[in-house]
Amino acid sequence: MTAPTDQHREGKKDVTFRIFRFNPQVDSKPYFDDYTIQVERGITVLRSLNYIKEHIDASISFRAFCQAGICGSCGMRVNGLSQLACTTQVWDVLAKSREPGIIKVEPLRNLPLIKDLIVDMDPLVDKMKHYSNWIDSTMPESSMGKKEFLISEEEFLRYDKATDCILCASCVSECSILRANKEYVSPAVLLKSYRMNVDSRDAIHGERLAELVKDHGVWDCTHCYRCQESCVKSIPIMDAIHGIREDAIELRGMKDTSGSKHAEAFMSDIEKKGKLVEATLPIRTNGIVWTLQNLLPMAVKMIMKRRTPPPPPLVKSAKGIKIFREMFREMTEHVRQDHKSHKK
Amino acid sequence: MKRYAYYLSCINESMTKEVDRSIGLWQKDLGIEFVKLHEGTCCGGSNLDYVSPKHFALVNGRNIALAEKMGLDLIVSCNTCLMTIRSAKKKLDEIPELKKEVNEILKKEGLEYRGTSEVRHLLWVLVDDVGLDTIGKKVKVPLKNYRIAPFYGCHILRPSTVLGHDNPRDPSSLDQLIEALGGQTIPYKHKNRCCGFHTLLVAEQESLNVAAEALQEAIDSQADFIVTPCPLCHTSLDGYQAKALKQAGVERSIPVFHISEMVGLALGYSAKELGIKRHIVG
């Protein structure tokens, strides 16, 4: 550990990089190696790693290519947070380090480890294939190259931000649901799926959407916003996830999955009572059989503790519900008109 | 006595009634008064925004307009209601056509959304308005023998573009409140992680895994209890605790408190008065 010295004012610091090491062919378990080097202001984590590899220990493995935040290769966790090593300034990280002078560097989470800081991206690529993360053109092959595909400015704006994704997998690493189940579609794939689905040149919108609403798909997201918060390109990933859900409800109705039924309950309860009727939410989401099988023992406990009322669940409407309902329905009419004029 | 409009969250009207009961006990001790907004309606719980973005704007524009009519800030004690209503406010403030459309309809009730009331969390009012020093002076039963795991939950931190009070990577306001009440916070990696609540009914296994991890870290760190500013996190971590820990093969348990109860305990109210017996984990 380095105590603050005159070096700081001169723009140089001794920094210890505590690097995660694991070679599954040799090591029985992971460990950390410390490398202390002098770093100048303005130096990135990636340049520091390059220096260590060139001058101290050539056996450290990490991926990197463009060094400019474009290629997405150098995603890793720096002091616990998934980000690009090439756009992360050592001094910025140090300012927030819990242990003064030490920067911990670890591989991304939620992807299999290959060696040291390198993870296997294949599961992500497989999911991109599974969810058809490409444009399957509406233009017949015979016409390709002969005429242009013009896109309106308005349409482009809908996926402009989503196209910024460089597949660095920082969001994948931070995702709460992926941490709980590796089968989950993952935020990066939802973002790509949204980007393809709102493109008018695409012909397989319906098929892709049908896949996205299945198990481990778009409805499993728990709205934790960790993906969005860690995105190195500041893409509003949750807007894309909500965009797919909005699309699914519009095209597939509100009754085809437990996720859409759950969402529908909010809309109908608000219109009827101005309040959510929580006690019946499990039944309306998953049906009576699922609720009895999964929640009966807990429901009994909840009723005993008066956390939930015994049936029938009576919820008092919000005060002034009559006029509220009128206003709610007036907005429903607005939405209907919007749909008619294709303006959403 | 500083006054605020108090938004009634659906969950605090049903499953977690102890939250509002606790606040009702100690608000005057801290020189604040929460005026309940009985006309307020469900915010949409982070679902209405994609089911129908326009209804979402209307419903929450109205919730805020009710507070504006009283000339008060709108205070919320559920993280998701906070994030949801603040998101609607951001949209209404940024999109003039949407604001105009919403206001055309709100006229029916003599309401107008102007954007003059702030939407804030109970925790922020305690830390920023009442102040840690004042709270510290009012403490009758310091929580000095307790090791406490602060669980912030997601929607008081993220998205930071909508919330913006604490650093979502390293939040501190709840830690400060615990310390002002004499308690000891423990280092807790899950402090800014998720409780899994929003997928409890849609992807139950995943949701319980998420909750179990947070519970297990607190148990392994020998915390006496977890405290959270969110009744949804409470429901996930307390109500579903037995199920989550059973799935994870953990045989122990840990109590979970709302911030309103923790404040109440430190100000000298009994567990019975605060409604703590309503919790599933004793």
Side-chain angles (χ1 to χ4, degrees):
Chain A
M1 201 184 299
T2 311
T5 64
D6 286 345
Q7 287 180 1
H8 289 214
R9 283 188 289 279
E10 290 165 14
K12 282 182 186 169
K13 287 179 190 177
D14 282 339
V15 182
T16 299
F17 289 85
R18 184 160 291 166
I19 300 177
F20 178 96
R21 305 298 308 272
F22 185 56
N23 180 352
Q25 292 176 338
V26 183
D27 305 320
S28 58
K29 58 178 185 189
Y31 58 97
F32 286 87
D33 271 334
D34 281 3
Y35 303 91
T36 303
I37 58 172
Q38 196 173 69
V39 181
E40 287 176 27
R41 181 193 284 276
I43 296 296
T44 63
V45 171
L46 180 59
R47 284 192 65 182
S48 309
L49 291 176
N50 279 331
Y51 181 88
I52 293 167
K53 189 171 172 73
E54 261 176 53
H55 298 278
I56 308 175
D57 185 348
S59 73
I60 300 171
S61 299
F62 53 90
R63 266 198 206 104
F65 183 64
C66 78
Q67 313 205 29
I70 296 165
C71 76
S73 307
C74 66
M76 54 186 76
R77 281 185 300 140
V78 180
N79 274 356
L81 190 79
S82 308
Q83 50 200 307
L84 293 178
C86 70
T87 53
T88 303
Q89 291 284 325
V90 169
W91 283 42
D92 291 350
V93 180
L94 278 183
K96 294 174 206 147
S97 274
R98 278 181 192 276
E99 295 179 271
I102 297 177
I103 293 179
K104 207 171 182 183
V105 189
E106 298 165 277
L108 294 178
R109 279 206 175 98
N110 296 332
L111 289 165
L113 184 68
I114 294 178
K115 181 177 181 283
D116 297 342
L117 303 173
I118 300 180
V119 293
D120 184 359
M121 299 290 271
D122 283 355
L124 185 61
V125 174
D126 290 344
K127 283 176 189 167
M128 293 179 67
K129 287 181 192 161
H130 180 82
Y131 292 95
S132 311
N133 280 184
W134 54 81
I135 296 288
D136 203 321
S137 181
T138 51
M139 188 184 278
E141 204 152 339
S142 55
S143 311
M144 282 190 188
K146 292 176 189 157
K147 61 176 184 181
E148 279 180 295
F149 238 144
L150 293 174
I151 294 298
S152 70
E153 178 81 15
E154 190 191 351
E155 180 185 325
F156 177 70
L157 287 176
R158 294 185 69 195
Y159 48 75
D160 183 19
K161 281 306 285 177
T163 55
D164 288 350
C165 173
I166 53 173
L167 287 171
C168 70
S170 289
C171 61
V172 171
S173 173
E174 295 289 324
C175 174
S176 300
I177 293 297
L178 208 51
R179 194 175 159 112
N181 187 344
K182 300 293 176 279
E183 297 293 307
Y184 174 57
V185 49
S186 87
V189 175
L190 286 173
L191 180 70
K192 286 278 172 206
S193 300
Y194 169 80
R195 183 257 167 273
M196 303 306 159
N197 262 3
V198 291
D199 194 315
S200 64
R201 294 168 293 187
D202 176 60
I204 55 167
H205 177 192
E207 290 97 305
R208 191 182 296 110
L209 195 59
E211 210 51 42
L212 286 164
V213 298
K214 287 184 184 165
D215 275 356
H216 311 309
V218 68
W219 292 109
D220 286 13
C221 163
T222 188
H223 316 189
C224 74
Y225 286 81
R226 290 183 71 85
C227 54
Q228 181 164 320
E229 207 63 46
S230 65
C231 179
V232 303
K233 295 288 173 188
S234 305
I235 303 168
I237 303 176
M238 272 311 297
D239 286 359
I241 297 175
H242 281 347
I244 296 173
R245 290 174 167 187
E246 193 183 342
D247 192 23
I249 284 170
E250 202 177 314
L251 292 180
R252 302 178 61 88
M254 303 197 72
K255 297 286 178 200
D256 79 323
T257 59
S258 57
S260 56
K261 285 184 216 164
H262 184 252
E264 197 264 343
F266 281 82
M267 183 81 177
S268 66
D269 282 2
I270 294 172
E271 180 172 0
K272 280 183 206 144
K273 299 208 163 246
K275 294 276 170 191
L276 186 66
V277 185
E278 276 158 340
T280 58
L281 203 51
I283 298 171
R284 288 182 289 162
T285 304
N286 291 305
I288 188 87
V289 176
W290 183 95
T291 305
L292 288 175
Q293 279 173 354
N294 279 272
L295 299 179
L296 190 61
M298 202 168 57
V300 171
K301 263 193 229 168
M302 294 242 183
I303 292 169
M304 301 276 284
K305 293 269 189 176
R306 299 192 183 172
R307 291 188 89 68
T308 197
L314 300 171
V315 169
K316 220 170 107 186
S317 297
K319 200 174 159 192
I321 186 70
K322 204 165 161 249
I323 188 153
F324 172 78
R325 263 186 221 138
E326 279 173 29
M327 296 192 297
F328 196 91
R329 284 168 193 164
E330 191 175 334
M331 190 55 106
T332 305
E333 195 46 46
H334 284 214
V335 174
R336 204 169 284 144
Q337 292 301 325
D338 287 350
H339 280 268
K340 264 190 200 161
S341 58
H342 299 287
K343 175 183 95 175
K344 269 182 59 177
Chain B
M1 191 75 66
K2 184 153 186 204
R3 295 173 82 234
Y4 302 88
Y6 184 66
Y7 177 75
L8 300 174
S9 298
C10 297
I11 194 153
N12 289 342
E13 297 260 274
S14 54
M15 292 173 82
T16 51
K17 283 183 178 152
E18 60 273 15
V19 172
D20 288 354
R21 190 203 286 192
S22 301
I23 296 169
L25 287 175
W26 52 250
Q27 54 179 336
K28 295 217 163 97
D29 299 346
L30 296 182
I32 48 179
E33 186 189 352
F34 290 137
V35 185
K36 288 182 178 178
L37 268 189
H38 290 287
E39 298 88 348
T41 62
C42 173
C43 67
S46 167
N47 286 296
L48 188 63
D49 41 351
Y50 59 83
V51 178
S52 177
K54 282 203 170 173
H55 285 93
F56 165 71
L58 173 71
V59 165
N60 290 306
R62 179 177 171 277
N63 282 331
I64 303 168
L66 288 166
E68 289 182 352
K69 197 175 173 185
M70 298 159 77
L72 302 173
D73 279 352
L74 182 61
I75 305 308
V76 185
S77 59
C78 164
N79 285 6
T80 295
C81 297
L82 175 80
M83 187 274 284
T84 302
I85 302 174
R86 283 180 71 96
S87 297
K89 178 172 170 57
K90 192 164 188 282
K91 287 213 161 68
L92 288 163
D93 290 342
E94 286 174 358
I95 311 170
E97 311 89 74
L98 182 66
K99 183 171 151 184
K100 196 175 160 211
E101 189 174 354
V102 163
N103 276 333
E104 280 297 318
I105 299 179
L106 287 182
K107 257 191 213 159
K108 267 205 158 104
E109 204 182 347
L111 291 171
E112 185 190 2
Y113 173 83
R114 297 190 304 274
T116 50
S117 283
E118 286 301 318
V119 180
R120 302 166 64 208
H121 196 282
L122 168 68
L123 175 64
W124 303 350
V125 171
L126 291 173
V127 173
D128 299 341
D129 293 9
V130 178
L132 298 168
D133 286 347
T134 308
I135 294 175
K137 282 176 197 153
K138 299 277 179 187
V139 170
K140 289 184 181 153
V141 187
L143 308 174
K144 64 181 175 194
N145 296 321
Y146 295 108
R147 289 167 51 80
I148 303 168
F151 189 90
Y152 287 77
C154 296
H155 295 159
I156 198 169
L157 303 174
R158 295 181 294 268
S160 55
T161 46
V162 171
L163 282 318
H165 185 275
D166 275 273
N167 175 356
R169 289 161 195 178
D170 190 16
S172 64
S173 56
L174 179 54
D175 291 68
Q176 289 168 25
L177 178 65
I178 292 169
E179 282 155 21
L181 299 171
Q184 184 194 342
T185 58
I186 60 154
Y188 186 42
K189 282 186 189 159
H190 277 80
K191 64 159 59 176
N192 65 349
R193 288 190 172 276
C194 179
C195 72
F197 179 86
H198 286 284
T199 37
L200 261 174
L201 296 177
V202 181
E204 195 192 23
Q205 297 289 309
E206 287 83 346
S207 170
L208 295 174
N209 279 348
V210 170
E213 265 206 75
L215 292 163
Q216 198 165 352
E217 192 202 340
I219 291 171
D220 291 347
S221 312
Q222 292 171 331
D224 293 304
F225 58 86
I226 296 171
V227 68
T228 175
C230 178
L232 305 182
C233 296
H234 187 272
T235 300
S236 188
L237 298 177
D238 172 73
Y240 285 75
Q241 182 177 132
K243 211 173 181 190
L245 289 178
K246 190 177 172 195
Q247 185 176 295
V250 179
E251 284 179 358
R252 295 171 60 193
S253 68
I254 184 165
V256 186
F257 293 115
H258 303 278
I259 52 168
S260 53
E261 294 167 337
M262 180 179 66
V263 170
L265 286 171
L267 296 189
Y269 294 94
S270 70
K272 194 178 172 193
E273 286 173 290
L274 294 161
I276 289 172
K277 286 193 174 162
R278 301 181 83 252
H279 294 187
I280 299 294
V281 179

